[in-house]
Amino acid sequence: MRVVVIGGTNFIGPYVVATLHRLGHEITVYHRGHHEPELPSGVRHLHSPLAGIPVLHFPPEIIDPAPEVVLHMFPVGEDDARAAMARFTGIARRMVALSSGDVYRAYGRLLGTEPGTPEPMPLDEDAPLRKALYPYRHTAAGPADWTFHYEKILAEQRVMNHPNLKGTVLRLPAVYGPGDPYHRLRPYIRRMDDRRPAILLETAQAEWRWTHEYVENVAQAIVLAVVDDRAAGRIFNVGEAETPTVANRVRRIGELAGWNGTVLPLESGRLPHHLRGPYQPHQDLVVETSRLRDELGFVEVRSKDEGLRRTIEWERANPPPSGDPVAAEYAAEDAALR
């Protein structure tokens, strides 16, 4: 099968492309050329300065040969999703687009932009969506900043409601693993490797639950959605089968990292300022993933422990190039402990 991947050179993309290639599919990756990860030699690269986020333009050679399925790794919002659907209508048979769990109303409750009591968990694909759009526009530098236009709800609507090109949407969780540009687990791993006696968490955060998934497992879910036409017209949550609390997740990382310290919940007023989040985690973000498992046969390719071990090893081997700011926070944490 011929597949065009829009983006695909950052964190999750190389895992997806490598797996599709290993399965025998013919892959074209459309990107700027700013990142050149190690991809199989048979993968075709199509470079263009127009492939920056948001991707609004596509060169003629992207449809020569014509793709059967298009995978959009990062549709930002309405405009780029519309542009992609228009370009491949009448050419491809399906568009697969990656979205996020931030579309749910529960995320708005977490941010404080959606009034009401906490949403019940877990969230299936039919759970209510946010009404307050553009969740990150207030932090954008201006209209030239892609976060100004970020709205996965509008992107989903363009992909799923097109009359002539079938769509599939995958709502991703917090993704971790080798290559994670956000280094989600690094603050914990660094403290553990420095033999800190305790990792401090705000009391409510310690009991908060947010669905994560290891990068290779996320890539496997995406591959299934690309190769299986039963995914047409469907939206799928992606994530771990069971979501632990933050405290329990950190404890397990500590066990695998060989750390003998304590995870210590404290009231917000006793925490150092750098450990106080921008919101109170009164609203869990736990998604139900049975649709993906039942309809497409998704099974994790890496266990949770194996994924955490691989992430720990990668973080240890890839410290920040300009120094790690975590150690500068220890004095304030020591004072809180005292």
Side-chain angles (χ1 to χ4, degrees), residues 24 44 70 84 86 92 95 107 128 167 182 184 196 200 202 217 220 227 237 255 266 299 310 313 318:
R44 175 192 180 205
V70 178
M95 174 73 68
Y107 187 74
Y182 300 108
R184 295 183 190 276
R196 298 292 296 165
L200 308 182
E202 195 271 330
N217 295 333
Q220 176 67 10
V227 303
N237 287 333
E255 291 168 358
L266 291 176
V299 176
R310 287 170 177 250
E313 292 171 1
N318 294 273

Side-chain angles (χ1 to χ4, degrees), residues 225-242:
V226 169
V227 303
D228 193 335
D229 281 338
R230 291 179 298 176
R234 300 296 277 163
I235 296 174
F236 299 96
N237 287 333
V238 181
E240 57 202 349
E242 300 292 336

Side-chain angles (χ1 to χ4, degrees), residues 50-199:
L50 300 177
I53 298 172
V55 183
L56 299 173
H57 303 283
F58 301 91
E61 54 266 38
I62 202 168
I63 59 170
D64 185 15
E68 296 163 82
V69 176
V70 178
L71 169 60
H72 202 323
M73 293 295 296
F74 196 72
V76 171
E78 183 174 25
D79 291 343
D80 57 337
R82 180 196 295 115
M85 297 300 284
R87 186 67 187 94
F88 294 100
T89 295
I91 298 165
R93 67 171 183 261
R94 194 157 52 89
M95 174 73 68
V96 178
L98 302 192
S99 185
S100 167
D102 70 14
V103 299
Y104 291 114
R105 185 169 66 189
Y107 187 74
R109 296 269 162 86
L110 185 71
L111 296 182
T113 59
E114 300 276 339
T117 58
E119 295 281 308
M121 296 292 112
L123 302 165
D124 65 20
E125 290 84 354
D126 297 319
L129 304 184
R130 286 183 285 103
K131 293 183 179 179
L133 301 181
Y134 303 105
Y136 311 121
R137 179 167 282 186
H138 66 286
T139 63
D145 184 341
W146 64 262
T147 60
F148 185 88
H149 306 279
Y150 178 97
E151 184 46 82
K152 292 289 191 179
I153 292 174
L154 300 181
E156 287 188 9
Q157 290 173 355
R158 287 293 174 180
V159 170
M160 297 303 293
N161 296 323
H162 197 280
N164 300 312
L165 180 57
K166 294 180 180 179
T168 300
V169 164
L170 296 169
R171 293 173 178 163
L172 302 193
V175 185
Y176 65 92
D180 177 9
Y182 300 108
H183 295 272
R184 295 183 190 276
L185 305 186
R186 179 166 184 78
Y188 308 127
I189 296 167
R190 173 62 193 272
R191 286 172 170 85
M192 292 167 182
D193 286 348
D194 286 346
R195 301 303 173 193
R196 298 292 296 165
I199 290 178

